[in-house]
Amino acid sequence: MKKNIYITAILSCSMALLASCDSYLDIEPKGRAQLKTTDDYLGLLEEISPTYDHAFHLNLCNEASWYKAEDLKNYNNPLRSAAFFWDESYDRAAVTINEYLYNNCYSRITNYNIIVSNIHKAEGSEEDKTLAMAQAKIMRAYNYFFLVNTYAAPYDPATAYETNGIIVREKMFSSIEEKGIQQSVGYTYDFIQQDIEDAIPDLPHISLNTFRPDKTFGLALKAKVHLFKREFDDCIQACLDALAEAPAGSHQLWDMNEEYNRYAPQLLMAYGTDRAIDDPMYLGVNAAIENIWKNGIQKGYDSSENLLYQFGTTHSDPYPMYITNAVLDLFEDSDLRELYCVRYNQTHATAPQGNREFASQGIKWNPSGMRLSEVYLMLAECYARKGTPTDIATAMNYLDQLRSKRNITGRYTTFAPDNAADALRLVREERKRELFMTCNGFFDMRRFASEFKETQTKEFEGKTYTLSHDSHLLTFPFPLKAMQTSDLKQNSK
């Protein structure tokens, strides 16, 4: 393991230096001489810190603000403010010199291409070669999914093959002069799906750890790609396959009631309440109660619910980050996600009014990976879209299976929608609650805006802001360094 980490660290550093220059990205590093065995190649699958820098995504989808409202208003960080205020007049492309998300994803893809192109020559068992190839392809697909859903327009079945996408590197480059080709959105999705199909049969039932992909993750990612392409029946089947596979991978939903039932009786006995009291005289009581929920509840990287764990902008995301009223207002009093993770009051009076902080240090929130809960949410959405009374009931059943693990038993309302539109609304709201402060809020915002031609609105300090369904803000611009060293055509501004 130490050997793998050493190799990964060297290659990651060298790739990071090259990542902004497209024509150099896939040149094999001098350190490749160290890659002799299958164990060496398997070490490339796992980074020391697999981060996906999507902080501005959270501002754009109205999930995160900032602890200083004046900083937002004064554009102290212009890209954050432009995202938060849905400012179409600000030229993001002109100031996006380099971009960590772009660089890191392509750096990882380079490592996966090294495996795909060379693993057959490694010293080691055929079993390890097959494993390395499958895990490299599924992780390559995942990183391309992140890239195409950030730097290209949302997938539209009618226009996908005419819409500029991203550079897709299918293998190692053969020379330093070779440049990547910017493919269409449709081509990119086809490549992603092919990688997924190639990988799934050979993915392990149980991976080495949650930072490496297993078969349940592969099936869940397959479902997610179908969902984003609006292939809803295919999404349902892939989700059902993922649920059938989940026990083999030791995956199950986290029942948050277990921790609640452990600590609530103690708090009730000591303070007469299980949550903070809205009275200044109980400041000390509130601190003690919050300490239990924010520090006593532990869910690590290895939680059985994590199908793949990946960091956000840093290894500690989303702590500490301020959550907007738009998200906070969605939580019921019975919701344990809010109780365990969100502060009772603002800790900075300078933050936007009513916004509160994500504060759990014990719960690893998995901001950029996938959890089993996504499979239940995808099933609920697809059945809700079908619209028959039977399908709506099925959708609500999947929602209730999840909500029963997230809300205090007996204290939450079981949904009973009147029609398909109402059912889909409930599913979308549950997605916002379950997946808040992850990459999904931005990705969902894009796909729903594209499909339903929705205009977003929000209020800030008495002013209304709007975001049209076809706003260029929904696509982030390529960094200037990538533009200068490739034939990329800019997709946004």
Side-chain angles (χ1 to χ4, degrees):
M1 180 60 70
K2 288 181 179 178
K3 181 180 179 183
N4 288 345
I5 291 174
Y6 172 73
I7 294 169
T8 303
I10 291 175
L11 287 174
S12 296
C13 290
S14 61
M15 290 304 130
L17 291 172
L18 299 174
S20 62
C21 184
D22 176 71
S23 59
Y24 286 81
L25 249 175
D26 277 324
I27 302 303
E28 297 180 47
K30 293 179 180 180
R32 181 177 175 265
Q34 301 178 67
L35 300 174
K36 295 181 179 180
T37 69
T38 53
D39 192 47
D40 293 337
Y41 281 95
L42 284 165
L44 295 179
L45 289 166
E46 189 177 334
E47 290 184 288
I48 295 173
S49 183
T51 56
Y52 296 74
D53 188 3
H54 54 81
F56 299 151
H57 296 190
L58 298 174
N59 299 128
L60 187 62
C61 71
N62 199 26
E63 289 190 5
S65 58
W66 187 240
Y67 77 102
K68 289 184 178 180
E70 291 302 314
D71 282 357
L72 287 171
K73 292 186 286 187
N74 293 330
Y75 278 61
N76 288 6
N77 184 321
L79 290 173
R80 177 187 293 121
S81 295
F84 183 80
F85 291 115
W86 296 340
D87 185 354
E88 293 189 329
S89 68
Y90 189 82
D91 189 354
R92 300 177 302 172
V95 298
T96 305
I97 309 301
N98 221 335
E99 234 279 322
Y100 287 118
L101 177 61
Y102 188 90
N103 292 348
N104 289 344
C105 284
Y106 276 114
S107 178
R108 284 187 283 264
I109 288 167
T110 296
N111 283 350
Y112 307 142
N113 280 342
I114 290 172
I115 296 172
V116 171
S117 297
N118 297 303
I119 187 64
H120 65 283
K121 296 182 286 189
E123 300 169 3
S125 69
E126 290 302 315
E127 182 180 3
D128 280 350
K129 293 178 183 180
T130 300
L131 173 65
M133 181 70 80
Q135 291 188 318
K137 284 194 171 186
I138 201 72
M139 289 304 297
R140 184 169 68 178
Y142 190 64
N143 278 265
Y144 275 132
F145 182 80
F146 241 94
L147 288 166
V148 78
N149 278 286
T150 300
Y151 301 103
Y155 187 94
D156 183 336
T159 60
Y161 292 92
E162 288 76 49
T163 304
N164 279 340
I166 60 173
I167 289 176
V168 177
R169 304 191 193 90
E170 304 179 18
K171 58 183 179 180
M172 292 290 297
F173 280 7
S174 58
S175 72
I176 197 169
E177 289 81 18
E178 188 175 350
K179 290 185 177 182
I181 299 174
Q182 184 175 12
Q183 302 289 359
S184 68
V185 169
Y187 183 99
T188 305
Y189 267 85
D190 287 346
F191 185 80
I192 289 169
Q193 287 186 297
Q194 188 59 58
D195 260 359
I196 293 171
E197 294 297 335
D198 290 348
I200 285 175
D202 297 318
L203 289 172
H205 294 297
I206 299 177
S207 61
L208 182 66
N209 55 53
T210 58
F211 291 90
R212 296 197 187 184
D214 64 9
K215 196 181 292 288
T216 309
F217 166 73
L219 292 164
L221 180 59
K222 177 181 179 179
K224 191 166 187 172
V225 174
H226 283 309
L227 181 69
F228 277 55
K229 290 185 69 180
R230 308 178 198 173
E231 298 167 349
F232 303 120
D233 287 337
D234 291 330
C235 178
I236 288 174
Q237 186 57 58
C239 283
L240 294 175
D241 291 342
L243 289 186
E245 169 65 22
S250 298
H251 295 298
Q252 60 181 350
L253 290 176
W254 174 30
D255 188 351
M256 300 176 84
N257 276 285
E258 293 180 4
E259 286 78 6
Y260 178 80
N261 293 333
R262 181 186 312 146
Y263 291 112
Q266 302 173 34
L267 293 173
L268 289 169
M269 182 178 296
Y271 306 113
T273 180
D274 61 355
R275 60 192 61 223
I277 304 169
D278 194 11
D279 191 315
M281 69 179 292
Y282 291 102
L283 183 63
V285 171
N286 291 345
I289 292 173
E290 281 209 316
N291 183 61
I292 289 291
W293 299 129
K294 305 304 183 290
N295 297 300
I297 308 300
Q298 300 287 317
K299 182 170 80 77
Y301 303 129
D302 59 350
S303 167
S304 59
E305 189 170 293
N306 288 328
L307 306 183
L308 177 76
Y309 198 98
Q310 302 285 270
F311 299 138
T313 303
T314 72
H315 74 279
S316 61
D317 276 1
Y319 171 86
M321 195 174 290
Y322 262 81
I323 306 168
T324 63
N325 298 345
V327 174
L328 297 174
D329 290 346
L330 290 170
F331 289 110
E332 304 168 74
D333 289 342
S334 62
D335 204 309
L336 295 171
R337 291 165 293 201
E338 181 185 27
L339 183 64
Y340 293 173
C341 296
V342 184
R343 286 201 182 278
Y344 167 60
N345 279 318
Q346 291 185 185
T347 51
H348 293 90
T350 56
Q353 186 174 6
N355 291 191
R356 290 182 280 131
E357 187 180 6
F358 187 104
S360 174
Q361 299 186 56
I363 298 174
K364 304 302 181 185
W365 199 241
N366 200 0
S368 303
M370 287 191 75
R371 305 195 299 252
L372 187 62
S373 58
E374 273 199 65
V375 177
Y376 287 83
L377 290 167
M378 288 190 286
L379 281 166
E381 179 178 335
C382 290
Y383 277 110
R385 287 173 176 273
K386 286 177 171 290
T388 69
T390 299
D391 289 322
I392 291 173
T394 301
M396 294 305 103
N397 178 54
Y398 281 115
L399 271 195
D400 195 57
Q401 288 184 59
L402 174 61
R403 285 169 55 76
S404 68
K405 309 291 187 184
R406 301 297 192 247
N407 289 269
I408 300 170
T409 302
R411 286 171 55 180
Y412 73 98
T413 303
T414 301
F415 293 143
D418 295 328
N419 50 53
D422 195 30
L424 184 57
R425 175 186 62 80
L426 292 170
V427 172
R428 291 180 61 177
E429 289 178 355
E430 191 62 32
R431 285 187 67 86
K432 288 182 179 179
R433 283 186 286 265
E434 173 64 18
L435 303 174
F436 81 106
M437 290 302 184
T438 71
C439 58
N440 293 281
F442 173 63
F443 293 163
D444 278 355
M445 183 188 201
R446 285 165 40 93
R447 69 184 178 96
F448 287 130
S450 175
E451 180 181 0
F452 299 124
K453 313 304 181 191
E454 295 176 339
T455 296
Q456 307 287 326
T457 62
K458 70 175 180 180
E459 302 286 330
F460 181 78
E461 295 189 351
K463 183 176 179 180
T464 299
Y465 296 84
T466 62
L467 183 71
S468 64
H469 72 273
D470 57 354
S471 172
H472 67 263
L473 291 174
L474 293 169
T475 299
F476 278 78
F478 293 124
L480 285 172
K481 285 194 175 180
M483 296 289 295
Q484 292 166 355
T485 57
S486 70
D487 295 327
L488 276 170
K489 293 180 180 179
Q490 186 60 273
N491 289 334
S492 188
K493 58 183 180 178

